[in-house]
């Protein structure tokens, strides 16, 4: 028997179904985007990584010392957090183990690097966010510029160094230690004087101090 307001009920049901379908499609799209898996270059058939930075080992057949074969089941691997704030993971292939930073594996796998840039930036400055969309290849100079621009690295103004004679008269001010080229003077020894490792504060008959 049809309800008097069957049309309204049908509209509600249809609306609900449409909502569920749209929600399901969005969740599927999100899941698909979050779980794009690819073989890690150099570890094809052994390990894969997702575009979000999750590493998994693949099912494979391995030989024991007695030459018997067994199936090694694949699994999601747990990275370790290093002292510098980056996630790392150890990959093993044919008995050779190597520790990799996860963000480098993601970049190697998902981000083209035609100019062969050596370093990788975390765009949002979060070292734990290893999504492919958050990473970019860069030069060492670009990496340093990114760190400076985002307050991750402080620019240190080189300290000038003053050279005095034995009576304390100023002879010369050097812009930095590496520019010291006075005859017979060793920049390494000057550094030792400045750090207090040479107690007399002298080197080659001269006093050396930081010049404020």
């Amino acid at each position: 028997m049809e309800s008097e307001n069957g049309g309204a009920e049908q509209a509600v049901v249809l609306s609900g179904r449409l909502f569920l379908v749209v929600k399901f499609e969005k969740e599927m799209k999100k899941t698909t985007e979050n779980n794009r898996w690819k073989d890690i270059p150099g570890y094809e058939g052994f390990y894969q990584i997702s575009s979000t930075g999750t590493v998994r080992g693949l099912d494979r057949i391995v030989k024991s010392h007695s030459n018997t074969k067994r199936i090694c089941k694949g699994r999601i691997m747990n990275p370790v957090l290093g002292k510098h704030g980056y996630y790392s993971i150890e990959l093993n292939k044919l008995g050779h183990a190597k520790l990799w930073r996860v963000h480098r594996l993601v970049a190697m796998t998902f981000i083209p690097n035609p100019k062969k840039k050596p370093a990788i930036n975390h765009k949002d400055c979060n070292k734990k966010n290893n999504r492919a969309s958050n990473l970019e290849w860069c030069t060492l100079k670009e990496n340093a510029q990114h760190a400076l621009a985002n307050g991750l690295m402080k620019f240190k103004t080189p300290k000038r160094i003053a050279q005095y004679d034995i009576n304390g008269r100023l002879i010369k001010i050097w812009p930095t230690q590496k520019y010291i080229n006075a005859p017979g003077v060793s920049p390494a020894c000057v550094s030792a004087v400045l750090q207090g490792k040479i107690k007399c504060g002298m080197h080659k008959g001269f006093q050396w101090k930081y010049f404020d």
Side-chain angles (χ1 to χ4, degrees), residues 101-192:
R101 284 183 173 173
V102 173
H103 68 274
R104 181 161 291 274
L105 293 176
V106 173
M108 286 167 44
T109 306
F110 290 97
I111 306 174
N113 187 19
K115 295 184 178 180
K116 306 298 181 184
K117 294 184 176 183
I120 302 164
N121 273 337
H122 286 77
K123 296 178 184 177
D124 67 354
C125 303
N126 180 2
K127 296 177 181 179
K128 297 178 182 178
N129 182 2
N130 293 319
R131 295 175 179 270
S133 59
N134 187 49
L135 304 176
E136 61 182 358
W137 289 102
C138 59
T139 63
L140 296 177
K141 181 178 180 180
E142 290 169 340
N143 187 252
Q145 290 173 337
H146 179 266
L148 285 170
N150 290 280
L152 302 178
M153 181 190 298
K154 292 183 179 179
F155 180 76
K156 294 183 178 179
T157 304
K159 290 184 178 181
R160 294 186 294 172
I161 298 170
Q163 178 184 2
Y164 301 88
D165 66 16
I166 195 169
N167 296 313
R169 288 190 292 266
L170 179 64
I171 297 174
K172 186 171 182 177
I173 297 173
W174 301 89
T176 63
Q177 175 187 323
K178 70 177 183 179
Y179 288 103
I180 296 175
N181 59 2
V185 172
S186 165
C189 290
V190 171
S191 176

Side-chain angles (χ1 to χ4, degrees), residues 20-199:
L20 291 175
V21 169
V22 171
K23 183 179 180 182
F24 175 77
E25 288 179 348
K26 286 183 176 179
E27 289 298 320
M28 284 299 294
K29 183 178 180 182
K30 181 179 178 182
T31 301
T32 301
E33 290 175 347
N34 289 346
N35 292 279
R36 290 188 292 128
W37 293 91
K38 286 187 177 182
D39 287 334
I40 298 174
Y43 293 90
E44 293 85 352
F46 290 86
Y47 299 98
Q48 290 185 333
I49 192 166
S50 74
S51 56
T52 60
T54 302
V55 178
R56 67 184 178 188
L58 301 177
D59 291 353
R60 59 186 184 275
I61 297 176
V62 297
K63 286 185 178 181
S64 66
H65 293 295
S66 59
N67 210 32
T68 57
K69 296 180 179 180
R70 64 182 179 85
I71 296 177
C72 181
K73 296 293 292 181
R75 60 182 178 83
I76 298 294
M77 302 175 66
N78 295 320
V80 295
L81 187 63
K83 63 180 181 180
H84 297 295
Y86 296 99
Y87 280 118
S88 297
I89 203 156
E90 184 180 274
L91 302 184
N92 193 309
K93 179 181 177 182
L94 304 177
H96 299 284
K98 184 174 180 178
L99 190 67
W100 290 88
R101 284 183 173 173
V102 173
H103 68 274
R104 181 161 291 274
L105 293 176
V106 173
M108 286 167 44
T109 306
F110 290 97
I111 306 174
N113 187 19
K115 295 184 178 180
K116 306 298 181 184
K117 294 184 176 183
I120 302 164
N121 273 337
H122 286 77
K123 296 178 184 177
D124 67 354
C125 303
N126 180 2
K127 296 177 181 179
K128 297 178 182 178
N129 182 2
N130 293 319
R131 295 175 179 270
S133 59
N134 187 49
L135 304 176
E136 61 182 358
W137 289 102
C138 59
T139 63
L140 296 177
K141 181 178 180 180
E142 290 169 340
N143 187 252
Q145 290 173 337
H146 179 266
L148 285 170
N150 290 280
L152 302 178
M153 181 190 298
K154 292 183 179 179
F155 180 76
K156 294 183 178 179
T157 304
K159 290 184 178 181
R160 294 186 294 172
I161 298 170
Q163 178 184 2
Y164 301 88
D165 66 16
I166 195 169
N167 296 313
R169 288 190 292 266
L170 179 64
I171 297 174
K172 186 171 182 177
I173 297 173
W174 301 89
T176 63
Q177 175 187 323
K178 70 177 183 179
Y179 288 103
I180 296 175
N181 59 2
V185 172
S186 165
C189 290
V190 171
S191 176
V193 170
L194 296 172
Q195 295 176 43
K197 295 179 180 179
I198 298 179
K199 300 303 180 182

